[in-house]
Amino acid sequence: DARVTQTPRHKVTEMGQEVTMRCQPILGHNTVFWYRQTMMQGLELLAYFRNRAPLDDSGMPKDRFSAEMPDATLATLKIQPSEPRDSAVYFCASATDETTEAFFGQGTRLTVV
Amino acid sequence: AQSVTQPDIHITVSEGASLELRCNYSYGATPYLFWYVQSPGQGLQLLLKYFSGDTLVQGIKGFEAEFKRSQSSFNLRKPSVHWSDAAEYFCAVGAWGGSYIPTFGRGTSLIVHP
């Protein structure tokens, strides 16, 4: 059963600490999305990659957020330093040109205290 | 830029009653439209999608949606709601950017009364 895997599922950290969230896309999917979900803003697109290259990260605060794909099986989203306003659920999703829809992971619930 | 409006934040229905969740979109070209469902603590699962062809689309779990270009709408329907349908429902419009990049509405929370 192919699925997008995100780790960790939950993360509680103190303000100022670095946070790294990981995503394993479905094998063979060449597009990866990062979304952030909050009550106030809903689902916001932070960044997306195609064939490991970042195509759009305009939704991401550049000063503290960074997204990478070290290889085709791993995408990372880092926040350094973290702030309480970063508390949210972060979703990774993957897709291919053939599938046309995005398949979502279960998310990482981040709490910054 | 594309956008999606889901005018209802919450919808409450009785089990067995029919359901319609509204979705209006704004997009300059032919839209690619999706409905996703999110259960508490879970990710988003695709219910159905529309790309072209028949404007009435059938999805999983007994859901269907109808694309109406003249009204810029893609409303989700189900003839008889089950208690397990209680969840958050998201409409999305996909813009092509090398892949279909979904832009989501704010979601509609469905509450089902026994």
Side-chain angles (χ1 to χ4, degrees):
Chain A
D1 183 24
R3 61 181 66 189
V4 176
T5 303
Q6 291 187 247
T7 57
R9 290 292 312 278
H10 303 273
K11 177 72 176 179
V12 180
T13 191
E14 292 185 347
M15 182 174 61
Q17 296 298 305
E18 177 178 300
V19 174
T20 298
M21 291 169 271
R22 293 177 174 80
C23 168
Q24 181 176 355
I26 293 173
L27 188 65
H29 283 196
N30 65 338
T31 302
V32 173
F33 306 93
W34 282 105
Y35 283 87
R36 176 171 62 185
Q37 184 179 37
T38 61
M39 290 293 293
M40 294 298 294
Q41 301 297 328
L43 277 158
E44 304 172 274
L45 179 66
L46 296 176
Y48 80 96
F49 292 75
R50 190 162 188 262
N51 297 326
R52 296 178 54 201
L55 289 194
D56 186 358
D57 61 1
S58 60
M60 216 162 58
K62 299 295 188 303
D63 55 339
R64 297 183 300 108
F65 285 59
S66 63
E68 296 178 344
M69 281 201 74
D71 60 61
T73 65
L74 177 64
T76 62
L77 180 65
K78 290 186 180 180
I79 308 174
Q80 169 62 26
S82 57
E83 297 181 1
R85 58 179 168 152
D86 301 328
S87 297
V89 181
Y90 291 81
F91 286 104
C92 173
S94 69
T96 70
D97 297 350
E98 290 75 33
T99 60
T100 65
E101 75 261 23
F103 291 79
F104 280 77
Q106 292 192 297
T108 294
R109 181 175 293 277
L110 174 66
T111 303
V112 183
V113 298
Chain B
Q2 66 274 15
S3 66
V4 174
T5 302
Q6 292 180 249
D8 303 306
I9 298 174
H10 303 282
I11 291 279
T12 301
V13 299
S14 298
E15 190 169 18
S18 63
L19 171 71
E20 182 169 29
L21 302 183
R22 295 183 291 166
C23 172
N24 292 97
Y25 67 90
S26 174
Y27 187 58
T30 302
Y32 300 95
L33 298 160
F34 308 86
W35 274 99
Y36 282 84
V37 61
Q38 184 182 28
S39 298
Q42 300 298 313
L44 279 72
Q45 180 185 21
L46 182 74
L47 285 175
L48 47 78
K49 61 185 177 184
Y50 171 80
F51 276 21
S52 63
D54 193 345
T55 56
L56 185 63
V57 181
Q58 301 298 318
I60 62 171
K61 305 185 180 185
F63 286 92
E64 66 178 25
E66 187 171 12
F67 170 60
K68 293 185 178 180
R69 185 185 298 275
S70 62
Q71 298 177 19
S72 298
S73 69
F74 189 55
N75 294 348
L76 182 71
R77 301 194 295 248
K78 187 170 184 177
S80 178
V81 170
H82 188 262
W83 64 265
S84 60
D85 293 324
E88 191 86 13
Y89 291 80
F90 293 92
C91 181
V93 60
W96 177 254
S99 183
Y100 294 99
I101 308 160
T103 296
F104 288 90
R106 293 299 303 272
T108 297
S109 178
L110 176 63
I111 302 163
V112 180
H113 282 315

